[in-house]
Amino acid sequence: MAVTDRAVTDQVGTERVGIDELLERVREDLDRIGPREAAEAAADGALLVDIRYAALRERDGVIPGALIVERNELEWRLDPQGSHRAPEATSHDLRVVVICNEGYASSLAAVSLRQLGLHRATDLVGGFQAWKAEGLPVVAAGDGAEAGDAA
């Protein structure tokens, strides 16, 4: 094994990195946005996608109008060519803002969507917690304010 300052290359030449390094790398290609910018993007037609699991949504609430898609279903629900796509997944040109709890998992999810051809996918810096801290609208989960619930 070859060891560099932050990465390890195994015997077959595959580079292994830690999660912090991976996040740093994938975020270089994302135009991550803050809570106010995400709200403006949604007002301009972007799709906010909440990938938090049910317990967090029940505990903290949801963003009105956000599409609820748990992380393990994300690619299937947002692939515009997929047979299991959500009705909102209309085009590869769709602006998608992925939202997790604190802005970590959403970066990896946004990159995965870009690999499917959703070239405008990005994520929310600080996640749902940053949205809530900014004083932006939040409602109780299950009150019908969500755009959809694929979970």
Side-chain angles (χ1 to χ4, degrees):
M1 274 189 244
V3 179
T4 63
D5 59 343
R6 294 194 293 184
V8 176
T9 303
D10 66 18
Q11 294 171 347
V12 293
T14 304
E15 182 182 22
R16 293 181 287 169
V17 298
I19 189 62
D20 293 331
E21 171 71 9
L22 179 61
L23 276 172
E24 184 178 317
R25 289 181 184 187
V26 301
R27 286 175 172 169
E28 289 175 1
D29 294 328
L30 292 175
D31 297 318
R32 303 182 76 216
I33 61 176
R36 295 263 173 216
E37 192 177 355
E40 292 169 9
D44 289 339
L47 179 62
L48 302 183
V49 181
D50 186 342
I51 63 169
R52 294 174 303 141
Y53 54 89
L56 289 177
R57 296 192 310 268
E58 291 168 11
R59 182 189 75 190
D60 295 334
V62 296
I63 297 169
L67 177 65
I68 306 300
V69 180
E70 289 197 15
R71 176 64 189 96
N72 63 323
E73 297 181 354
L74 183 67
E75 291 81 359
W76 284 269
R77 301 295 287 159
L78 290 187
D79 178 1
Q81 298 175 328
S83 60
H84 299 288
R85 71 181 171 277
E88 295 85 351
T90 56
S91 164
H92 285 97
D93 292 325
L94 181 64
R95 177 92 191 265
V96 176
V97 180
V98 183
I99 302 166
C100 68
N101 195 48
E102 295 181 344
Y104 295 97
S106 57
S107 295
L108 298 174
V111 167
S112 182
L113 292 177
R114 284 186 171 212
Q115 290 172 333
L116 284 176
L118 291 153
H119 61 97
R120 298 177 69 204
T122 191
D123 76 319
L124 175 60
V125 175
F128 177 86
Q129 296 305 323
W131 176 281
K132 189 174 177 180
E134 193 70 26
L136 293 166
V138 173
V139 296
D143 75 354
E146 305 95 286
D149 189 346

